[in-house]
C-alpha cells in the first residue's frame, strides 16, 4: 500500500466506497488522516462500516465543515453532465476535490529514494483505445527484462494498493479520461498517448473536453518523455505542443500505417514491420506479423507505443522483441479463444465503440461478426471501412433490429438478440478460413454488467458449441 502523505491529522471525505474508494480510505488512514465516507448505495456503505469507516451523508448541509479534502471515485460525475450533489457541495464550501490518482502522485516518492541507485519511475498510459494492451505490454516487457515492475490504475491493482517502489522500480499506470480529468497531481516520468476517438462525451461536455482531459497528463504532468500517437489531428497537435523543435527527442511520435520522417525520434509500423528512427537513421526493426499476441494494425500501434516507452527506460530492441513474442495478449482484447475445423474464434468484447470495433474488423478476413449492444453516440458510420471483411453479422442486444438496420444494405445481418443464439448460428455457418469475431461496437450494459461478463459469456458459448 502507498500511505497518502500530507493529511496527517486532517479530516478527509471519501465519496464512492467501491474498490478505488475503499483503497483510498485505507491509504489515507495509513497516512494518518481521519477518514469519513459516503456512498449512495447501501452495499457500499455497509462494506465501509464493516471496515470501521465513519459514515457521513455528504449531500447534507454543513457536511464539509472541518473537511480538508474530498476524494471521489472516477465513475462519479464531477462536472458534466452535472456534478454529484456532494461534489457540488464541496466545491461551494471551497473544499479541494481529488481522486486516488492525484493522491498517488503526491505520495509515491519517499525519503527512502535517497538511498536508491536508480530513482523509480512512473509510466502513465492514456488514450481512447489500446491503453490496456499497451500498459500490459510495457509491464510484460519490463518483467521479462528482469526489471521490478507493477501494473495499476485502470488495469490490475488499485493505484494506492501497490507496493512502495524499490530501487529502480517502474510503475505502469493505465489512466482513463475520468482519472486524468480530476487528479490534482499528475507527474509521470513517461506519458503515453495512444489515439483519440469519440467516447465518454457526456462526461466531458463534448469531444474537445474529452481531449482536454487526456491532454492534462502531458500539459500539466510535464513528463520527461512523451510517447504520442500522431495518426489523429489531436495527437499531432499534442506532439507539437510538447516539442521544442523537429529534433527534440523528448517527444517520440508513434504511428501505425504511415512512415514518419524527420530529425526526431519516431516509431512506426507499416505492413507488419515496426521501425525505430532517430536523428534521421533507422536504429531498430521488428517483424510483427507472426506475433500471435499482437494481431492487426491496432495492436501494431500498441506495440509501437510500448516499444517506445521501454526504449526510454533503457531497454534494447532485441530484448523488447523477445518479450513481444511471449506476450499472450489480454482477455477480451483480440483474444484468440479457440480454433476448430479451420475456423478461429476471437473475443474482442472490449471493442465497445465504433473505432475499436473497426480496427478489429480490419485485423481479420472472412469474419462472422457478433455485434450489438448499447449503442454509443456518433452512430455506426465509422465501421464502413472494416465491413468489407464481414461475411455476415449476428446482432445481439435489446435493440438488435435497429442496430442491424443501421449497418446498411451491404451487410447481411441476422437479428439474434442473445449471445447464445448468435454463437450457435455463427458456429453452424462458419467455413474453414473464416473467423468468428465478437467485436460489439457497443457497450454491454443492456444485457451484461461489464464487457468482461459479455466476453466470458461468448467464450463459454463457443466452448459449449464446439464440444
Amino acid at each position: 500500500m502507498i500511505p497518502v502523505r500530507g493529511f496527517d491529522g486532517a479530516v478527509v471525505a471519501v465519496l464512492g466506497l467501491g474498490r478505488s474508494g475503499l483503497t483510498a480510505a485505507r491509504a489515507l488512514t495509513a497516512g494518518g488522516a481521519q477518514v469519513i465516507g459516503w456512498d449512495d448505495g447501501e452495499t457500499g456503505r455497509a462494506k465501509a462500516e464493516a471496515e470501521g469507516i465513519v459514515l457521513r451523508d455528504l449531500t447534507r448541509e454543513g457536511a464539509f465543515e472541518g473537511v480538508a479534502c474530498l476524494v471521489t471515485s472516477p465513475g462519479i460525475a464531477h462536472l458534466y453532465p452535472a456534478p454529484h450533489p456532494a461534489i457540488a457541495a464541496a466545491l461551494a464550501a471551497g473544499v479541494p476535490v481529488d481522486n486516488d490518482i492525484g493522491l498517488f502522485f503526491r505520495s509515491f516518492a519517499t525519503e527512502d529514494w535517497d538511498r536508491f541507485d536508480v530513482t523509480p519511475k512512473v509510466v502513465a498510459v492514456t488514450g481512447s483505445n489500446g491503453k490496456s494492451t499497451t500498459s500490459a505490454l510495457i509491464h510484460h516487457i519490463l518483467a521479462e527484462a528482469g526489471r521490478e515492475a507493477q501494473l495499476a490504475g485502470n488495469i490490475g491493482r488499485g493505484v494506492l494498493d501497490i507496493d512502495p517502489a524499490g530501487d529502480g522500480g517502474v510503475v505502469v499506470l493505465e489512466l482513463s479520461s475520468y482519472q486524468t480529468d480530476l487528479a490534482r497531481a499528475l507527474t509521470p516520468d513517461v506519458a503515453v498517448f495512444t489515439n483519440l476517438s469519440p467516447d465518454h462525451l457526456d462526461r466531458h461536455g463534448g469531444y474537445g473536453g474529452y481531449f482536454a482531459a487526456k491532454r492534462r497528463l502531458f500539459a500539466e504532468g510535464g513528463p520527461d518523455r512523451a510517447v504520442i500517437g500522431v495518426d489523429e489531428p489531436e495527437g499531432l497537435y499534442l506532439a507539437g505542443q510538447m516539442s521544442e523543435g523537429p529534433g527534440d527527442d523528448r517527444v517520440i511520435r508513434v504511428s501505425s500505417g504511415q512512415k514518419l520522417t524527420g530529425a526526431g525520434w519516431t516509431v512506426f509500423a507499416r505492413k507488419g514491420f515496426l521501425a525505430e528512427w532517430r536523428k534521421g537513421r533507422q536504429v531498430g526493426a521488428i517483424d510483427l506479423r507472426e506475433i500471435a499476441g499482437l494481431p492487426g494494425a491496432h495492436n501494431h500501434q500498441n506495440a509501437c507505443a510500448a516499444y517506445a516507452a521501454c526504449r526510454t527506460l533503457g531497454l534494447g530492441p532485441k530484448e523488447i522483441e523477445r518479450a513481444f513474442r511471449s506476450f499472450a495478449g489480454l482477455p477480451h482484447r483480440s483474444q484468440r479463444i479457440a480454433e476448430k475445423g479451420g475456423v478461429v474464434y476471437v473475443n474482442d468484447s472490449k471493442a465497445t465503440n465504433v473505432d475499436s470495433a473497426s480496427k478489429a474488423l480490419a485485423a481479420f478476413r472472412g469474419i462472422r461478426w457478433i455485434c450489438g449492444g448499447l449503442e454509443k453516440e456518433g452512430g455506426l458510420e465509422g465501421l464502413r471501412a472494416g465491413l468489407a471483411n464481414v461475411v455476415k453479422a449476428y446482432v445481439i442486444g435489446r435493440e438488435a433490429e435497429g442496430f442491424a438496420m443501421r449497418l446498411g444494405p451491404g451487410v447481411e445481418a441476422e437479428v439474434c438478440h442473445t449471445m447464445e443464439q448468435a454463437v450457435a448460428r455463427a458456429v453452424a455457418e462458419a467455413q474453414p478460413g473464416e473467423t468468428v469475431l465478437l467485436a460489439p461496437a457497443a457497450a454491454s450494459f443492456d444485457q451484461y454488467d461489464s464487457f468482461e461478463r459479455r466476453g466470458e459469456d461468448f467464450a463459454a458459448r463457443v466452448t459449449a458449441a464446439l464440444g
Side-chain angles (χ1 to χ4, degrees):
M1 176 173 289
I2 306 294
V4 174
R5 299 154 65 92
F7 292 108
D8 189 13
V11 177
V12 179
V14 176
L15 176 64
L17 298 170
R19 186 190 74 156
S20 66
L22 286 176
T23 301
R26 297 177 194 124
L28 283 159
T29 301
Q34 300 176 41
V35 176
I36 60 173
W38 184 253
D39 193 290
D40 291 338
E42 291 184 9
T43 301
R45 296 197 296 270
K47 287 182 179 179
E49 278 193 305
E51 292 200 20
I53 296 173
V54 175
L55 297 179
R56 180 188 295 181
D57 186 346
L58 298 175
T59 64
R60 292 185 176 177
E61 186 175 352
F64 285 95
E65 291 181 10
V67 173
C69 181
L70 172 64
V71 177
T72 183
S73 296
I76 299 173
H78 61 271
L79 185 57
Y80 301 115
H84 186 280
I87 296 177
L91 295 173
V95 173
V97 180
D98 206 347
N99 61 18
D100 60 340
I101 303 302
L103 298 182
F104 166 81
F105 276 112
R106 71 181 286 164
S107 307
F108 183 51
T110 67
E111 291 84 358
D112 294 339
W113 290 21
D114 293 338
R115 302 192 301 270
F116 291 168
D117 292 328
V118 180
T119 302
K121 294 187 182 297
V122 177
V123 179
V125 181
T126 195
S128 296
N129 300 309
K131 57 184 179 291
S132 295
T133 297
T134 300
S135 301
L137 183 54
I138 293 169
H139 177 261
H140 175 77
I141 295 166
L142 291 167
E144 289 291 294
R147 300 280 292 272
E148 177 194 304
Q150 299 184 77
L151 181 64
N154 210 38
I155 186 175
R157 298 165 69 182
V159 68
L160 292 170
D161 194 37
I162 65 173
D163 301 323
D167 195 342
V170 179
V171 174
V172 183
L173 300 181
E174 179 199 338
L175 299 181
S176 71
S177 59
Y178 293 0
Q179 294 169 312
T180 58
D181 197 21
L182 189 61
R184 293 175 65 86
L186 286 170
T187 54
D189 299 281
V190 181
V192 180
F193 176 86
T194 58
N195 50 56
L196 197 76
S197 63
D199 209 355
H200 309 306
L201 302 188
D202 59 331
R203 272 291 298 268
H204 298 292
Y207 202 39
Y210 177 50
F211 175 53
K214 303 286 189 184
R215 180 180 173 274
R216 286 193 76 239
L217 183 63
F218 299 81
E220 299 187 30
D224 296 330
R225 299 277 189 184
V227 176
I228 301 175
V230 295
D231 288 334
E232 293 87 29
E234 292 82 5
L236 199 60
Y237 169 79
L238 181 58
Q241 281 207 315
M242 297 299 295
S243 174
E244 293 295 331
D248 185 355
D249 65 2
R250 294 174 303 169
V251 177
I252 307 176
R253 291 168 171 81
V254 167
S255 174
S256 175
Q258 60 174 318
K259 181 179 180 179
L260 300 178
T261 59
W265 194 350
T266 64
V267 180
F268 58 88
R270 291 185 70 208
K271 300 180 180 179
F273 288 87
L274 179 152
E276 177 190 5
W277 285 70
R278 197 168 185 181
K279 299 187 185 303
R281 65 185 186 90
Q282 186 170 333
V283 296
I286 299 175
D287 184 351
L288 300 173
R289 294 174 298 175
E290 300 303 320
I291 297 178
L294 296 166
H298 60 306
N299 275 310
H300 293 174
Q301 183 186 57
N302 300 335
C304 288
Y307 176 99
C310 289
R311 290 288 281 140
T312 72
L313 298 172
L315 276 66
K318 292 299 182 185
E319 58 185 335
I320 295 174
E321 180 177 2
R322 285 194 296 271
F324 277 178
R325 296 192 180 282
S326 60
F327 182 64
L330 290 179
H332 317 297
R333 297 161 176 87
S334 295
Q335 178 190 16
R336 184 167 172 157
I337 59 171
E339 181 177 359
K340 186 173 183 179
V343 179
V344 175
Y345 298 83
V346 176
N347 169 20
D348 202 345
S349 184
K350 184 60 171 65
T352 59
N353 59 41
V354 166
D355 185 67
S356 55
S358 179
K359 289 174 178 176
L361 293 176
F364 304 96
R365 299 291 181 269
I367 298 171
R368 301 278 174 175
W369 179 33
I370 298 177
C371 57
L374 190 62
E375 194 175 334
K376 295 187 176 182
E377 294 181 27
L380 303 178
E381 186 62 33
L383 291 169
R384 297 291 169 227
L387 294 179
N389 295 331
V390 175
V391 176
K392 184 177 177 180
Y394 305 83
V395 188
I396 63 173
R398 289 203 304 254
E399 300 178 359
E401 288 88 354
F403 194 101
M405 186 177 300
R406 285 187 288 278
L407 292 176
V411 179
E412 181 183 357
E414 180 176 339
V415 174
C416 296
H417 288 293
T418 67
M419 185 70 74
E420 181 179 16
Q421 184 179 355
V423 169
R425 295 292 297 147
V427 170
E429 295 183 351
Q431 301 298 312
E434 294 181 343
T435 298
V436 175
L437 171 68
L438 171 65
S444 60
F445 301 122
D446 60 333
Q447 293 182 309
Y448 303 91
D449 60 9
S450 68
F451 72 84
E452 291 94 342
R453 293 287 181 269
R454 178 171 58 189
E456 290 164 2
D457 191 23
F458 170 73
R461 303 292 182 186
V462 168
T463 300
L466 298 181

